[in-house]
Amino acid sequence: MVDNRIENTDTASGVHPLKFSLWLIIISIIMMFAAFTSAYIVRREEGNWLEFELPTILLINTAIIILSSVSMQWAYNSAKKDNLKSVKIGLIATFLLGVAFLFGQWNGWAQLVQDNIYFGGSSSNPSGSFLYVLTGVHGFHLITGLVFVLLTLIGSLKYKVHSKNLLRIQLCTIYWHFLGGLWLYLYIFLRINH
């Protein structure tokens, strides 16, 4: 939870320490997924790569995460205008869409298992394992994003998110848009390289 004493504190460079920290986290996540997708390409070229259809739910999840980004931006814009009711509605919608995304990922994994595509074991193949890792690690980060959205929602219910106190929702919005952009990258990457 963002402490009110540091809510509006900037460094000499003009960047808030929490915003700087968030950008460092985002850069480290980008580097991790760059390593994963590079390893995916290298391993695919080595052969013994099972070709299979991606679960249809991944496309549906792409639409869900885009909608959640729209609702998150709406919440942020509403906070800038002190429309506190819309802030709460936007954050609740973002949270519910995020949960729907995770539910979709779970169903995608269930479809993979139904199609005999496993993460590990004697029946597994690197192509399936990579798909589980890419979607699973993104899902983990989405859970952290949902915690962030929930904490921001709680702050909005206590009237701590408004035009004079935007840091909390601004950080949440940046991270949520990043997660959406990361998913779009992963989905396009998988469609092209799978």
Short mmCIF file of all heavy atoms in Angstrom, two decimals, residues 138-173:
data_model
loop_
_atom_site.label_atom_id
_atom_site.label_comp_id
_atom_site.label_asym_id
_atom_site.label_seq_id
_atom_site.Cartn_x
_atom_site.Cartn_y
_atom_site.Cartn_z
N HIS A 138 3.43 -15.62 -17.21
CA HIS A 138 2.60 -14.43 -17.43
C HIS A 138 1.43 -14.44 -16.45
O HIS A 138 1.08 -13.40 -15.88
CB HIS A 138 2.08 -14.36 -18.87
CG HIS A 138 1.22 -13.16 -19.11
ND1 HIS A 138 -0.15 -13.19 -18.93
CD2 HIS A 138 1.52 -11.89 -19.48
CE1 HIS A 138 -0.64 -12.00 -19.19
NE2 HIS A 138 0.36 -11.19 -19.52
N GLY A 139 0.81 -15.61 -16.26
CA GLY A 139 -0.30 -15.72 -15.32
C GLY A 139 0.10 -15.33 -13.91
O GLY A 139 -0.65 -14.66 -13.20
N PHE A 140 1.31 -15.74 -13.50
CA PHE A 140 1.80 -15.36 -12.17
C PHE A 140 1.89 -13.84 -12.05
O PHE A 140 1.47 -13.26 -11.05
CB PHE A 140 3.18 -15.99 -11.90
CG PHE A 140 3.85 -15.40 -10.69
CD1 PHE A 140 3.45 -15.78 -9.42
CD2 PHE A 140 4.85 -14.45 -10.83
CE1 PHE A 140 4.06 -15.22 -8.30
CE2 PHE A 140 5.46 -13.89 -9.72
CZ PHE A 140 5.06 -14.28 -8.45
N HIS A 141 2.43 -13.20 -13.08
CA HIS A 141 2.54 -11.74 -13.04
C HIS A 141 1.16 -11.08 -13.08
O HIS A 141 0.96 -10.03 -12.49
CB HIS A 141 3.45 -11.24 -14.17
CG HIS A 141 4.89 -11.53 -13.91
ND1 HIS A 141 5.51 -12.63 -14.41
CD2 HIS A 141 5.82 -10.88 -13.16
CE1 HIS A 141 6.77 -12.65 -14.00
NE2 HIS A 141 6.98 -11.60 -13.24
N LEU A 142 0.22 -11.72 -13.77
CA LEU A 142 -1.13 -11.18 -13.77
C LEU A 142 -1.76 -11.27 -12.38
O LEU A 142 -2.48 -10.36 -11.97
CB LEU A 142 -2.00 -11.89 -14.81
CG LEU A 142 -3.25 -11.08 -15.13
CD1 LEU A 142 -3.00 -10.23 -16.36
CD2 LEU A 142 -4.44 -11.94 -15.32
N ILE A 143 -1.44 -12.32 -11.65
CA ILE A 143 -1.93 -12.42 -10.26
C ILE A 143 -1.37 -11.27 -9.44
O ILE A 143 -2.10 -10.65 -8.66
CB ILE A 143 -1.58 -13.80 -9.65
CG1 ILE A 143 -2.40 -14.89 -10.32
CG2 ILE A 143 -1.80 -13.80 -8.14
CD1 ILE A 143 -1.96 -16.31 -9.98
N THR A 144 -0.09 -10.96 -9.61
CA THR A 144 0.48 -9.81 -8.88
C THR A 144 -0.22 -8.53 -9.30
O THR A 144 -0.45 -7.64 -8.47
CB THR A 144 2.00 -9.68 -9.08
OG1 THR A 144 2.30 -9.39 -10.45
CG2 THR A 144 2.74 -10.94 -8.65
N GLY A 145 -0.56 -8.42 -10.58
CA GLY A 145 -1.31 -7.25 -11.06
C GLY A 145 -2.69 -7.17 -10.43
O GLY A 145 -3.16 -6.08 -10.08
N LEU A 146 -3.34 -8.32 -10.26
CA LEU A 146 -4.66 -8.35 -9.62
C LEU A 146 -4.58 -7.90 -8.16
O LEU A 146 -5.47 -7.20 -7.67
CB LEU A 146 -5.28 -9.74 -9.71
CG LEU A 146 -5.82 -10.14 -11.07
CD1 LEU A 146 -6.25 -11.61 -11.06
CD2 LEU A 146 -6.97 -9.25 -11.49
N VAL A 147 -3.51 -8.28 -7.48
CA VAL A 147 -3.32 -7.82 -6.10
C VAL A 147 -3.18 -6.30 -6.09
O VAL A 147 -3.78 -5.61 -5.27
CB VAL A 147 -2.08 -8.51 -5.46
CG1 VAL A 147 -1.72 -7.86 -4.13
CG2 VAL A 147 -2.33 -10.00 -5.29
N PHE A 148 -2.41 -5.78 -7.04
CA PHE A 148 -2.20 -4.34 -7.17
C PHE A 148 -3.54 -3.63 -7.46
O PHE A 148 -3.86 -2.60 -6.86
CB PHE A 148 -1.20 -4.09 -8.29
CG PHE A 148 -0.47 -2.79 -8.24
CD1 PHE A 148 0.47 -2.51 -9.22
CD2 PHE A 148 -0.69 -1.84 -7.26
CE1 PHE A 148 1.16 -1.31 -9.23
CE2 PHE A 148 0.00 -0.64 -7.24
CZ PHE A 148 0.93 -0.37 -8.23
N VAL A 149 -4.34 -4.19 -8.36
CA VAL A 149 -5.66 -3.62 -8.66
C VAL A 149 -6.55 -3.64 -7.43
O VAL A 149 -7.23 -2.66 -7.12
CB VAL A 149 -6.34 -4.36 -9.84
CG1 VAL A 149 -7.78 -3.93 -10.01
CG2 VAL A 149 -5.57 -4.14 -11.14
N LEU A 150 -6.52 -4.76 -6.70
CA LEU A 150 -7.35 -4.88 -5.50
C LEU A 150 -6.94 -3.86 -4.44
O LEU A 150 -7.81 -3.22 -3.82
CB LEU A 150 -7.25 -6.30 -4.94
CG LEU A 150 -8.21 -6.66 -3.81
CD1 LEU A 150 -9.67 -6.50 -4.24
CD2 LEU A 150 -7.95 -8.08 -3.34
N LEU A 151 -5.65 -3.68 -4.24
CA LEU A 151 -5.18 -2.68 -3.27
C LEU A 151 -5.57 -1.27 -3.70
O LEU A 151 -5.94 -0.43 -2.87
CB LEU A 151 -3.67 -2.78 -3.08
CG LEU A 151 -3.17 -4.06 -2.39
CD1 LEU A 151 -1.65 -4.11 -2.40
CD2 LEU A 151 -3.71 -4.16 -0.98
N THR A 152 -5.51 -1.01 -4.99
CA THR A 152 -5.92 0.30 -5.50
C THR A 152 -7.42 0.49 -5.33
O THR A 152 -7.88 1.58 -4.96
CB THR A 152 -5.52 0.45 -6.99
OG1 THR A 152 -4.10 0.22 -7.10
CG2 THR A 152 -5.83 1.84 -7.52
N LEU A 153 -8.19 -0.56 -5.56
CA LEU A 153 -9.64 -0.51 -5.34
C LEU A 153 -9.95 -0.22 -3.87
O LEU A 153 -10.80 0.63 -3.56
CB LEU A 153 -10.30 -1.81 -5.78
CG LEU A 153 -11.80 -1.94 -5.52
CD1 LEU A 153 -12.58 -0.85 -6.23
CD2 LEU A 153 -12.29 -3.32 -5.93
N ILE A 154 -9.27 -0.90 -2.97
CA ILE A 154 -9.47 -0.64 -1.54
C ILE A 154 -9.14 0.82 -1.22
O ILE A 154 -9.87 1.48 -0.48
CB ILE A 154 -8.62 -1.62 -0.69
CG1 ILE A 154 -9.18 -3.04 -0.83
CG2 ILE A 154 -8.59 -1.18 0.78
CD1 ILE A 154 -8.28 -4.13 -0.27
N GLY A 155 -8.06 1.34 -1.80
CA GLY A 155 -7.72 2.74 -1.61
C GLY A 155 -8.81 3.67 -2.14
O GLY A 155 -9.13 4.69 -1.52
N SER A 156 -9.41 3.29 -3.26
CA SER A 156 -10.48 4.14 -3.83
C SER A 156 -11.72 4.11 -2.94
O SER A 156 -12.43 5.10 -2.83
CB SER A 156 -10.82 3.70 -5.26
OG SER A 156 -11.56 2.50 -5.27
N LEU A 157 -11.98 2.98 -2.30
CA LEU A 157 -13.12 2.89 -1.39
C LEU A 157 -12.92 3.75 -0.14
O LEU A 157 -13.88 4.17 0.49
CB LEU A 157 -13.38 1.43 -0.99
CG LEU A 157 -13.82 0.49 -2.12
CD1 LEU A 157 -13.85 -0.95 -1.65
CD2 LEU A 157 -15.15 0.91 -2.70
N LYS A 158 -11.65 4.01 0.18
CA LYS A 158 -11.31 4.88 1.32
C LYS A 158 -11.06 6.33 0.86
O LYS A 158 -10.50 7.11 1.62
CB LYS A 158 -10.08 4.33 2.03
CG LYS A 158 -10.29 2.97 2.66
CD LYS A 158 -9.00 2.47 3.29
CE LYS A 158 -9.22 1.11 3.93
NZ LYS A 158 -7.96 0.59 4.52
N TYR A 159 -11.42 6.62 -0.39
CA TYR A 159 -11.28 7.96 -0.97
C TYR A 159 -9.83 8.44 -1.00
O TYR A 159 -9.54 9.62 -0.84
CB TYR A 159 -12.18 8.97 -0.24
CG TYR A 159 -13.63 8.57 -0.30
CD1 TYR A 159 -14.25 7.96 0.78
CD2 TYR A 159 -14.37 8.76 -1.47
CE1 TYR A 159 -15.57 7.55 0.72
CE2 TYR A 159 -15.69 8.36 -1.55
CZ TYR A 159 -16.28 7.75 -0.45
OH TYR A 159 -17.59 7.34 -0.53
N LYS A 160 -8.91 7.51 -1.25
CA LYS A 160 -7.50 7.84 -1.35
C LYS A 160 -7.02 7.86 -2.80
O LYS A 160 -5.82 7.98 -3.05
CB LYS A 160 -6.67 6.84 -0.54
CG LYS A 160 -6.91 6.94 0.95
CD LYS A 160 -6.02 5.98 1.71
CE LYS A 160 -6.25 6.12 3.20
NZ LYS A 160 -5.39 5.23 3.98
N VAL A 161 -7.93 7.70 -3.75
CA VAL A 161 -7.59 7.75 -5.17
C VAL A 161 -8.45 8.83 -5.79
O VAL A 161 -9.67 8.67 -5.92
CB VAL A 161 -7.84 6.38 -5.86
CG1 VAL A 161 -7.56 6.48 -7.34
CG2 VAL A 161 -6.99 5.29 -5.22
N HIS A 162 -7.81 9.93 -6.16
CA HIS A 162 -8.51 11.08 -6.76
C HIS A 162 -7.50 11.96 -7.45
O HIS A 162 -6.30 11.64 -7.48
CB HIS A 162 -9.30 11.86 -5.69
CG HIS A 162 -8.51 12.17 -4.47
ND1 HIS A 162 -7.58 13.17 -4.42
CD2 HIS A 162 -8.50 11.57 -3.24
CE1 HIS A 162 -7.03 13.22 -3.22
NE2 HIS A 162 -7.56 12.24 -2.48
N SER A 163 -7.94 13.10 -8.00
CA SER A 163 -7.07 13.94 -8.83
C SER A 163 -5.85 14.47 -8.10
O SER A 163 -4.83 14.78 -8.71
CB SER A 163 -7.87 15.10 -9.43
OG SER A 163 -8.34 15.95 -8.40
N LYS A 164 -5.91 14.59 -6.79
CA LYS A 164 -4.77 15.09 -6.02
C LYS A 164 -3.93 13.96 -5.42
O LYS A 164 -2.97 14.21 -4.71
CB LYS A 164 -5.26 16.03 -4.92
CG LYS A 164 -5.88 17.30 -5.47
CD LYS A 164 -6.19 18.25 -4.36
CE LYS A 164 -6.80 19.55 -4.76
NZ LYS A 164 -7.14 19.84 -6.08
N ASN A 165 -4.29 12.74 -5.73
CA ASN A 165 -3.60 11.57 -5.18
C ASN A 165 -3.63 10.44 -6.22
O ASN A 165 -4.30 9.44 -6.04
CB ASN A 165 -4.28 11.14 -3.88
CG ASN A 165 -3.38 10.32 -2.99
OD1 ASN A 165 -2.22 10.10 -3.30
ND2 ASN A 165 -3.93 9.85 -1.89
N LEU A 166 -2.89 10.63 -7.31
CA LEU A 166 -2.98 9.73 -8.46
C LEU A 166 -1.88 8.65 -8.52
O LEU A 166 -1.97 7.75 -9.35
CB LEU A 166 -2.91 10.54 -9.77
CG LEU A 166 -4.13 11.37 -10.12
CD1 LEU A 166 -3.84 12.26 -11.32
CD2 LEU A 166 -5.33 10.49 -10.39
N LEU A 167 -0.88 8.74 -7.68
CA LEU A 167 0.27 7.85 -7.83
C LEU A 167 -0.14 6.37 -7.80
O LEU A 167 0.27 5.60 -8.66
CB LEU A 167 1.31 8.12 -6.74
CG LEU A 167 2.56 7.23 -6.85
CD1 LEU A 167 3.31 7.52 -8.14
CD2 LEU A 167 3.45 7.43 -5.64
N ARG A 168 -0.95 6.00 -6.85
CA ARG A 168 -1.35 4.60 -6.69
C ARG A 168 -2.01 4.07 -7.97
O ARG A 168 -1.63 3.03 -8.50
CB ARG A 168 -2.31 4.50 -5.51
CG ARG A 168 -2.81 3.16 -5.19
CD ARG A 168 -3.77 3.22 -4.02
NE ARG A 168 -3.32 4.19 -3.05
CZ ARG A 168 -3.46 4.09 -1.75
NH1 ARG A 168 -4.07 3.06 -1.25
NH2 ARG A 168 -3.02 5.00 -0.93
N ILE A 169 -2.98 4.79 -8.48
CA ILE A 169 -3.69 4.31 -9.68
C ILE A 169 -2.82 4.47 -10.93
O ILE A 169 -2.92 3.68 -11.86
CB ILE A 169 -5.07 4.99 -9.84
CG1 ILE A 169 -5.92 4.19 -10.84
CG2 ILE A 169 -4.93 6.46 -10.23
CD1 ILE A 169 -7.38 4.55 -10.82
N GLN A 170 -1.93 5.44 -10.93
CA GLN A 170 -1.03 5.60 -12.07
C GLN A 170 -0.08 4.41 -12.17
O GLN A 170 0.12 3.85 -13.25
CB GLN A 170 -0.25 6.90 -11.94
CG GLN A 170 0.62 7.20 -13.14
CD GLN A 170 1.38 8.50 -12.97
OE1 GLN A 170 1.96 8.77 -11.93
NE2 GLN A 170 1.37 9.31 -14.01
N LEU A 171 0.50 4.00 -11.03
CA LEU A 171 1.40 2.84 -11.02
C LEU A 171 0.65 1.58 -11.42
O LEU A 171 1.15 0.76 -12.20
CB LEU A 171 2.02 2.67 -9.64
CG LEU A 171 2.97 3.77 -9.17
CD1 LEU A 171 3.39 3.53 -7.73
CD2 LEU A 171 4.16 3.91 -10.08
N CYS A 172 -0.55 1.43 -10.91
CA CYS A 172 -1.38 0.27 -11.22
C CYS A 172 -1.70 0.22 -12.72
O CYS A 172 -1.63 -0.82 -13.36
CB CYS A 172 -2.66 0.33 -10.39
SG CYS A 172 -3.69 -1.15 -10.49
N THR A 173 -2.02 1.39 -13.28
CA THR A 173 -2.36 1.47 -14.71
C THR A 173 -1.15 1.12 -15.57
O THR A 173 -1.26 0.37 -16.55
CB THR A 173 -2.88 2.88 -15.05
OG1 THR A 173 -4.00 3.16 -14.22
CG2 THR A 173 -3.28 2.99 -16.50
#
